[in-house]
Amino acid sequence: MSDAQTLRAYGNEAKLAAERPDTLDYIHTAKRGLTKRTVEEISSMKNEPAWMRENRLRAYETFLQKRGPAWGADLSGIDFDDLYYYLKPTTGVAKRWDKVPSTIRNTYNRLGIPEAEQKYLTGVMAQYESEAVYHSLQDKMSKLGVIFTDMDTGLRKYPDLVKQYFGRVVPAGDNKFAALNTAVWSGGSFLYVPAGVHVTFPLQAYFRINKEKVGQFERTLIIAEPGSFVHYVEGCTAPQYTSGSLHSAVVEIIVKKGARVRYTTVQNWSKNVYNLVTKRTFVYEEGTMEWVDGNLGSRVTMKYPSVYLLGRKARGDVLSVAFAGNGQHQDAGGKAIHGAPETTSTIISKSVSKDRGHTSYRGLVRVPAGMRGCKSNVVCDALLLHPQSRSDTYPTMDIRESDVQIGHEASVGKVGEEQLFYLMSRGLSEAEAMSMIVSGFIEPIAKELPIEYAVELNRLIQLEMEGSVG
């Protein structure tokens, strides 16, 4: 079997694993719909401290009062009263794969997560519906003081750290979906890297929605102390149903002086999921934050990873790629807020629209008066594969200081007949030529990924491209 055939066979198997629902009896299923009682039930199930319970209830009231965004993608298909807000699949979090229930473990085996853990990763957190079912961390990292666990365990074992930072970067009042997450959050990752510690291989979190009409609301908090480094990788799947599901996560990251955090997402939700996520970082003096954000699945995505540069010479990079097929709207981009002098940001966004797919770039760069010596460069490129495809660009540059260097480039293009002819004259089919052109278009993003994730991104692109010609 050739490499291409092997890649295709593996890709199809992983795709089947992603789209095939598991048959599972849940330990606990909350009544459908969101009420104050639902919020209290979740907090009670987790035996939380009073401050977190009160935090949830305040956020619930904020959610009721806040309106959803009047811009961006169409969210009218979300029925908040027809969702399950909490499903508990197991009795606890396993530290060995053989302790995870076989139905759940088989799905992760088909997705290749345990194999990747052995070869490439320092640790893994796997979440199924509302709760983590597995987590691990290499002993040598634990001995250096690294904490990597699910958020619920983090709250129980490290309450002072969680209380200090929870909601500091993304408060509940930030937007309607941040309020919803704060009210009903469950699972997610808690990652703490002590000063000067470099985590040499990535840590991975994998999120799975299995049941129909489920809301998944993980909460992730990452704290990188001065001079530390960590690379966190996130993946996700859900089966295809006729009705929609909702994924509304919040990710908060604190990058302290001289620290560096890279956060990589290769998203592959099924095409009935509304993916509405708030991801934000505070970066302090000489710190570096890198978002690498791949958006291929979901019915609707609205996601704009943000960097708030709060210390002199802090740096933030956002690399985003979005692929929208028929019936999908990928509304993605990035934000850079320069809150200190001599800070630097880069936002590079690539989007591909196939058939009637719809992509949008939505970005913001803000430099207040007095923030001298800041630099920012924004590049957003869109590729349209068919006459019915659509791409929009909504850049906002709010620059109040003259002593800065700001760049912005944007382009929209179609696949050229000359490109196709040249590749087809070398023996490629039209579909293979089209796929190669798309892979070349997203190459600036793919090359920033570890090789195994670059392979996964290209594999997903190839699967999305199937049937795109003819």
Side-chain angles (χ1 to χ4, degrees), residues 54 57 110 126 179 184 213-214 245 258 296 332 374 387-388 447:
E54 294 303 317
L57 291 172
R110 289 196 299 271
V184 296
K213 296 182 178 179
V214 162
S245 295
L296 285 95
C374 294
Q388 300 93 340
K447 75 178 183 182

Side-chain angles (χ1 to χ4, degrees), residues 320-321 323 348-352 381-383 385 411 414-415 419-420 423 428 431-448 454 457-459 461-462 465:
S320 171
V321 60
F323 188 107
I348 298 176
S349 173
K350 298 271 186 177
S351 67
V352 180
D381 298 329
L383 182 63
L385 301 185
S411 70
K414 298 179 180 179
V415 174
Q419 289 175 295
L420 284 174
L423 292 171
L428 298 179
E432 290 170 334
M434 189 83 83
S435 182
M436 184 172 286
I437 291 169
V438 172
S439 294
F441 178 74
I442 66 165
E443 191 265 347
I445 307 292
K447 75 178 183 182
E448 295 297 328
L457 181 63
N458 278 299
R459 172 173 56 77
I461 290 286
Q462 289 177 13
M465 290 295 294

Side-chain angles (χ1 to χ4, degrees), residues 15 83 86 143 150 211 250 271 310 313 320 339 349 370 378 420 464:
K15 187 179 181 182
L83 291 172
Y86 181 73
K143 290 176 182 176
D150 62 281
K211 191 177 174 66
V250 167
K271 294 182 177 59
L310 303 179
K313 296 186 177 180
S320 171
S349 173
V378 178
L420 284 174
E464 294 289 345

Side-chain angles (χ1 to χ4, degrees), residues 47-282:
N47 196 25
E48 290 178 340
W51 71 265
M52 180 57 79
R53 181 175 178 276
E54 294 303 317
N55 200 37
R56 286 182 183 273
L57 291 172
R58 285 195 300 272
Y60 171 67
E61 295 298 328
T62 302
F63 167 74
L64 294 178
Q65 294 165 10
K66 271 195 173 290
R67 294 184 176 183
W71 43 268
D74 178 11
L75 304 181
S76 60
I78 302 174
D79 185 350
F80 291 105
D81 295 325
D82 197 28
L83 291 172
Y84 295 100
Y85 287 83
Y86 181 73
L87 276 77
K88 185 177 177 64
T90 65
T91 54
V93 184
K95 293 185 177 180
R96 287 172 28 193
W97 282 110
D98 61 1
K99 299 297 183 184
V100 176
S102 60
T103 303
I104 297 174
R105 187 174 69 245
N106 290 340
T107 292
Y108 286 111
N109 283 337
R110 289 196 299 271
L111 291 166
I113 307 301
E115 182 183 358
E117 178 187 9
Q118 293 175 10
K119 291 183 178 178
Y120 315 116
L121 303 171
T122 301
V124 168
M125 193 288 293
Q127 178 163 335
Y128 198 94
E129 309 289 25
S130 303
E131 294 279 2
V133 296
Y134 172 83
H135 70 67
S136 68
L137 178 67
Q138 291 180 1
D139 288 343
K140 63 180 180 182
M141 285 295 130
S142 295
K143 290 176 182 176
L144 291 174
V146 176
I147 301 169
F148 179 51
T149 186
D150 62 281
M151 194 66 197
D152 298 278
T153 303
L155 177 59
R156 283 196 303 273
K157 296 183 67 173
Y158 311 99
D160 293 340
L161 268 176
V162 173
K163 188 174 183 179
Q164 181 179 355
Y165 292 106
F166 189 99
R168 176 173 161 184
V169 181
V170 182
D174 189 81
N175 63 75
K176 187 174 182 69
F177 293 98
L180 176 63
N181 177 282
T182 306
V184 296
W185 73 268
S186 186
S189 296
F190 177 66
L191 172 58
Y192 176 84
V193 186
V197 173
H198 286 215
V199 181
T200 50
F201 292 97
L203 299 161
Q204 185 179 47
Y206 211 93
F207 300 94
R208 166 81 168 173
I209 293 175
N210 183 65
K211 191 177 174 66
E212 191 172 14
K213 296 182 178 179
V214 162
Q216 190 175 67
F217 309 97
E218 79 268 16
R219 186 89 182 199
T220 292
L221 176 59
I222 297 174
I223 305 155
E225 293 287 359
S228 62
F229 168 73
V230 67
H231 184 186
Y232 179 92
V233 183
E234 176 190 79
C236 46
T237 63
Q240 183 77 37
Y241 289 110
T242 54
S243 57
S245 295
L246 173 62
H247 173 248
S248 186
V250 167
V251 177
E252 302 181 277
I253 303 176
I254 294 108
V255 181
K256 297 189 179 179
K257 182 178 180 180
R260 177 180 164 219
V261 174
R262 169 168 282 209
Y263 192 112
T264 298
T265 301
V266 179
Q267 172 196 306
N268 187 30
W269 292 116
S270 62
K271 294 182 177 59
N272 59 343
V273 173
Y274 287 85
N275 184 38
L276 311 169
V277 177
T278 306
K279 293 184 170 180
R280 189 176 301 161
T281 316
F282 284 176

